[in-house]
Amino acid sequence: MDLKIKPIKNNVFFIGSKDCNRKLFDQLVPLPQGTTYNSYLVKGSEKTAIVDTDYPKKLEEYKKRLQENSITKVDYIISNHAEQDHSGGIPMLLEMFPEAKVVTNAKVKENVINMLHVNEDKFIVINDGDELSLGDKTFQFIIAPFVHWPDTMFSYLKEDKMLFTCDFLGAHYTKHELFADCSEGLKEAAKRYYAEIIMPFRNFAKKYTDKVKSMDIDMILPSHGPVYDKPQWILDLYADWTSDRVENKVVIPYVSMYESTTMLVNRLSKKLSNAGIEVKLFDLVHCDEGELSMELVDCATVVLGSSMVLAGPHPAAVTAAYLVNALRPKLRYYSIIGSYGWGGNLEGTIEKMFTIIKPEKLDYVIVKGQPRTADFEKIDLLANEIIEKHKNL
Ligand code: FEO
């Protein structure tokens, strides 16, 4: 248990928790190295504020940290977003500091009341552009919906040029002391985080990336992962990930019961690779969904491979199609390949998963039993179709 608080700059401190042992986020997203729940203490000449709090399972540690470091007066709890990994500590803080008010927008207020049963009279509701004075420090609030909930906002500490962005620009990363090392490892963690949490709201993320780029900012302080004292690094990555640019890359998530689908996948993969296309294969039985999500950020084409089970696609392929649709990547093309034993409809259920995204459909290759020469020739035609399409990316 690390009870230290960490000075960042000018009476701004990191008071949150590291959770290196957590394996899953939202009971869904793998966390290869855990995560952090970033909470910040900001001491002004007259008032003291906490920006976002801590995860419910870390509250005992969080409370001890505040007590050990003699944090005896808090006037404001600024809540940028109501998801409980950041708002979970609000009831405890209100018990510790009964005079404190929760400063937030109307949507966060409604969510916090519903999720944490905080009394209505504990809130100060702000609107976009409103300011809050701590004496020699001033917060200005920026309502930034859908990065990633409808309630999200940023808090800008004007005098110190520090922007608290909550989930936006964050990373499930723990190999840092405080500041971002801008390493390849952090880049991968930030991309994984973007893919799973922010990519479904890419247009909003693009809008707010542009907005943050236009601001006068020395430091970005997100609610997961390191603090960016060189904010341009993460902003440039987001500018690329949220752009319309796709790479000359094909992602092939597949599941194969008796190797027939694997044979099709391997043939397609070889043809595409020989043409200079980057191919990423994911055997869905052993797949880390986070790695698949990362490759979806900038791939141009997805080819789903599946065996037939009970006259329909294998459930693993249906889940993968659901995930692709839910994450809303900037995908241009898709196809389905696979094999069946005695009959059914392999493609219908997968097609029905694409309710949000509308990539262009390429030819499907569905074969009976183990593929024959004519089936491989169909795979070669599909490969040629993809190669031609990718020439115009
Ligand atoms: Fe890190 Fe949307 O909570």
Side-chain angles (χ1 to χ4, degrees):
M1 192 181 289
D2 183 0
L3 297 181
K4 288 197 295 285
I5 68 172
K6 298 170 186 168
I8 298 173
K9 182 182 158 186
N10 297 351
N11 279 329
V12 178
F13 303 84
F14 179 92
I15 59 171
S17 304
K18 251 185 198 178
D19 193 353
C20 298
N21 297 321
R22 189 165 174 190
K23 301 292 180 222
L24 272 182
F25 208 89
D26 293 341
Q27 305 300 72
L28 174 69
V29 176
L31 298 173
Q33 51 176 284
T35 190
T36 68
Y37 315 106
N38 299 354
S39 177
Y40 301 98
L41 182 79
V42 181
K43 286 185 179 173
S45 56
E46 294 170 19
K47 303 283 186 185
T48 297
I50 284 178
V51 182
D52 293 318
T53 68
D54 209 328
Y55 181 53
K57 291 181 180 173
K58 285 284 182 180
L59 289 183
E60 190 182 334
E61 176 182 329
Y62 186 58
K63 186 176 189 176
K64 274 190 187 153
R65 187 175 301 117
L66 295 173
Q67 290 169 337
E68 287 282 318
N69 291 279
S70 304
I71 312 298
T72 54
K73 179 176 171 289
V74 172
D75 302 285
Y76 304 116
I77 304 159
I78 296 172
S79 180
N80 283 325
H81 164 44
E83 196 164 4
Q84 288 170 61
D85 49 330
H86 312 298
S87 68
I90 290 175
M92 188 191 82
L93 288 178
L94 289 173
E95 274 182 28
M96 293 175 74
F97 310 106
E99 72 285 2
K101 294 287 185 191
V102 181
V103 180
T104 191
N105 65 68
K107 286 195 171 73
V108 169
K109 175 186 169 184
E110 182 188 344
N111 288 338
V112 168
I113 288 174
N114 285 330
M115 289 187 280
L116 297 164
H117 299 175
V118 173
N119 283 339
E120 175 112 23
D121 63 2
K122 290 290 182 186
F123 290 88
I124 297 173
V125 175
I126 55 83
N127 293 303
D128 188 51
D130 284 357
E131 296 191 350
L132 177 76
S133 174
L134 306 183
D136 61 345
K137 293 184 187 293
T138 316
F139 275 108
Q140 185 171 53
F141 302 105
I142 299 161
I143 307 291
F146 289 105
V147 287
H148 66 128
W149 277 19
D151 65 3
T152 44
M153 69 179 202
F154 306 151
S155 299
Y156 180 52
L157 195 56
K158 288 167 67 174
E159 292 79 3
D160 300 299
K161 300 181 184 177
M162 298 166 101
L163 185 69
F164 300 79
T165 55
C166 203
D167 281 322
F168 188 54
L169 307 172
H172 291 312
Y173 191 75
T174 54
K175 294 178 180 169
H176 61 286
E177 184 58 30
L178 185 60
F179 293 108
D181 56 13
C182 301
S183 62
E184 279 303 306
L186 175 58
K187 180 177 170 184
E188 185 172 313
K191 189 173 186 181
R192 177 186 274 260
Y193 180 96
Y194 166 80
E196 293 163 336
I197 294 167
I198 305 292
M199 184 163 68
F201 311 97
R202 182 169 69 94
N203 289 337
F204 289 96
K206 181 174 170 42
K207 174 181 168 181
Y208 288 107
T209 300
D210 291 343
K211 170 143 185 120
V212 175
K213 270 179 170 266
S214 74
M215 294 173 68
D216 187 10
I217 288 172
D218 283 348
M219 213 176 272
I220 288 173
L221 302 94
S223 58
H224 297 286
V227 172
Y228 294 98
D229 54 351
K230 301 178 191 71
Q232 200 61 36
W233 183 81
I234 188 69
L235 290 172
D236 285 347
L237 289 173
Y238 264 64
D240 181 36
W241 296 335
T242 59
S243 75
D244 292 332
R245 187 187 72 82
V246 290
E247 292 191 357
N248 185 20
K249 177 158 70 181
V250 176
V251 172
I252 309 179
Y254 70 98
V255 55
S256 184
M257 291 160 56
Y258 289 102
E259 299 303 313
S260 296
T261 298
T262 303
M263 292 165 75
L264 299 173
V265 165
N266 289 342
R267 175 76 166 222
L268 180 64
S269 171
K270 191 171 175 190
K271 291 287 285 185
L272 295 173
S273 297
N274 286 345
I277 294 177
E278 185 182 4
V279 179
K280 294 286 182 180
L281 302 180
F282 289 94
D283 179 344
L284 292 168
V285 178
H286 308 290
C287 174
D288 172 337
E289 288 87 355
E291 287 181 9
L292 172 58
S293 304
M294 257 193 291
E295 296 302 339
L296 293 174
V297 168
D298 42 25
C299 79
T301 301
V302 164
V303 178
L304 268 155
S306 179
S307 304
M308 186 93 78
V309 179
L310 301 173
H314 192 290
V318 177
T319 302
Y322 179 87
L323 185 71
V324 171
N325 183 64
L327 293 177
R328 304 187 198 194
K330 47 192 173 186
L331 196 60
R332 304 273 177 89
Y333 310 104
Y334 87 100
S335 176
I336 301 167
I337 62 175
S339 164
Y340 63 96
W342 45 265
N345 183 341
L346 191 65
E347 63 270 32
T349 305
I350 292 176
E351 277 181 347
K352 281 185 201 148
M353 290 287 123
F354 293 137
T355 55
I356 305 169
I357 59 168
K358 299 293 174 196
E360 184 182 330
K361 172 180 161 181
L362 306 179
D363 285 342
Y364 298 161
V365 182
I366 314 291
V367 310
K368 188 171 174 66
Q370 195 177 108
R372 297 179 167 84
T373 302
D375 300 316
F376 287 123
E377 286 170 359
K378 286 181 189 163
I379 287 287
D380 293 348
L381 289 175
L382 172 61
N384 289 339
E385 193 181 10
I386 293 171
I387 292 163
E388 281 306 309
K389 294 285 186 188
H390 278 219
K391 282 179 183 166
N392 300 316
L393 290 178

